[in-house]
Amino acid sequence: MAEEHMALYRRWRSQRFSEVIGQEHVVKTLQNVVRNKKLLAHAYLFCGPKGTGKTSVARIFAKALNCLEGPSDEPCNRCANCLKITEGNSLDVMEIDAASHTSVEMVREHIIDKVNFAPIEGKFKIYLIDEVHKLSNHSFNALLKTLEEPPSHVIFILATTHPHELLPTILSRCQRFDFRRISQQDIMRRLRMVCQEEGYAIEEGALGIIAQASDGALRDALVVLEQSFSFSEGEVTTAQVASLLGLTEESLLFTFSQLIGEAKVSAVLQLLDKLVRDGKDMLQFVHELIEHYRRLLIVKVSKEAPLILEIAEDGYERLQKNAGIYEPGDILRIIKILSDLMVEMKDATCERVLLEVALIKMSTKRLDPSLSALKQRLDSLEKRIFDEKGELKEKASPPEVKQEVSPAAEAPKEAPPPPEEKKDSHEGHGGGLWEHWPRILQAVKNEKMPLYAVLVDTKPRLAEGDRVIIGVKKGFNFHKEQVETHRALIGSIISKFLHRPISVEAGGIEGEDGQGELFNDDYAEEHRKFVKDVMDVFGGRII
């Protein structure tokens, strides 16, 4: 007779407390209970995520209590009672699936009517009710009295993934044990051991993908591992496991984030097109991209990232390098875009279009109209233009006085003395206009940005007494009108630097009214560069 096949997760189900992984807090407490019967309760609640060992621990606990060589903190797994519980044939351990037995009749027939009968083979009669949250309220109410005051030989073990759905009256009568998700490192160690015992070859990267995809459930990891062995004819590779699970290869996620960070929109869209042609599920891809950016964010903001993410040193270094092209704010903005995209895609018929639009927004900040993107663009612009003290990084150099010689002169003549500069008559009280002009422009920018954009194309001409002339190029009528319109504002700002009341008027530049200019074109060019940067970042134009 052929040997009966048993699934991998059933063959490798924990049979002793020492084999349970990731639930040390539960195991230690239950072992203490078995050693000291005075600590034994009449009802236990095992709750936690699927595949974390709730049912397995309940069976081990039952074996430890009814073991013929015990009670012992480790069942022998050799005696008749241990073997029957392992095989599910024990008359004293009743396993009830509440998902398929929800009625009051079931509770009455299987529990209430039989609970008073003494155990037949062991010392305790144990009721293991799995998925107990599936019981109806009427069933809970019928069970309540028995659960509160059962016979001394009866122990209830309730298991559920949804403890919040249980009635408070049920919760109050049980000792609660919360099972945790099993760490990726623990799952990988168990999978590695299973592969060695089963004689299978698998790449380390494939084990990592399985452990990560299982989301802390060892049972799910063993199911995928067995499926991977069936999928592969030889050694199980990382690419094969990723294909089996419908996942994007990790290298592609790094490539996507690299291209997005470098604003290479065309390359991003080409890579997406390849994924679509390969039949990749778009919603799953977005989920993986969110998880990848989560990892980048944690690497960016926490020194404990390797511990939090449960990654090896080489994986951490790779994430660090990938995260280096981003600021934390950039990653937060991208995660927000992707999260909103997931909601939109669930009910959409044009998934690819939505994903392409999102990737373009992620790659090009100025195409993202959100407030967070606007703030990042302003912060980026300030870093490019101003230093830590809030001043322009590159200041204009003082103008050089140039002397021109008439080409018609036949013999060199003595150069005429340079024209006397008209200086501020109150220079001792704050310096001249030309010395304060960069800071005056900065003050105007803080007060009224559009006016600042006008003034960078003008030149201060004269500061004499309480009169200041601002030179405007010929034909720049709009600039002249703006200076005249905002004379009061400009005057009040200049007054703060020259320490006296100032009257402002617009005039022509050199050659228009005979007045010399105080600043050369290099000075204005610095401020034109600032305006150009503003337009580049925000996609604007001068009107």
Side-chain angles (χ1 to χ4, degrees), residues 245-248 280-289:
L245 296 174
L247 301 177
T248 307
K280 174 66 182 175
D281 180 83
M282 294 294 99
L283 197 60
Q284 174 66 25
F285 169 67
V286 174
H287 175 76
E288 294 169 23
L289 208 53

Side-chain angles (χ1 to χ4, degrees), residues 379 381-395 442:
D379 292 343
L381 184 61
E382 286 186 354
K383 288 181 180 179
R384 290 164 57 185
I385 303 302
F386 301 106
D387 58 22
E388 295 178 354
K389 297 180 180 179
E391 298 182 356
L392 292 172
K393 288 184 176 180
E394 297 180 1
K395 294 186 178 181
Q442 177 67 29

Side-chain angles (χ1 to χ4, degrees), residues 401-406 409 411-420:
V401 179
K402 297 181 181 180
Q403 298 177 347
E404 296 184 0
V405 179
S406 173
K413 298 181 181 180
E414 183 179 353
E420 182 180 353

Side-chain angles (χ1 to χ4, degrees), residues 8 188 190-196 198-211 221-222 224-230 232 234-242 244:
L8 201 60
M188 288 181 67
R190 176 55 65 91
L191 296 181
R192 200 178 293 116
M193 184 268 290
V194 170
C195 290
Q196 290 174 353
E198 295 286 337
Y200 292 116
I202 185 170
E203 291 182 356
E204 192 71 12
L207 290 178
I209 292 179
I210 295 174
L222 288 169
V224 175
L225 182 65
E226 186 171 30
Q227 189 178 1
S228 301
F229 295 150
S230 303
S232 174
E235 181 183 32
V236 178
T237 65
T238 303
Q240 287 173 335
V241 173
L244 179 66

Side-chain angles (χ1 to χ4, degrees), residues 47 87 91 124 162 173 190 197 235 247 336 340 347 351 362 387 410 418 425 500 526 533:
C47 52
E87 296 169 359
L91 298 176
F124 296 95
H162 298 76
R173 287 161 172 78
R190 176 55 65 91
E197 294 294 328
E235 181 183 32
L247 301 177
K336 178 66 167 60
D340 293 342
D347 299 320
E351 290 184 345
M362 290 157 56
D387 58 22
E410 296 179 359
S425 59
R500 63 181 183 278
E526 175 185 0
D533 287 337

Side-chain angles (χ1 to χ4, degrees), residues 173-187:
R173 287 161 172 78
C174 301
Q175 282 194 13
R176 175 169 173 167
F177 291 85
D178 287 282
F179 284 65
R180 303 165 181 165
R181 282 185 170 84
I182 304 172
S183 70
Q184 292 183 26
Q185 298 301 324
D186 285 340
I187 291 178

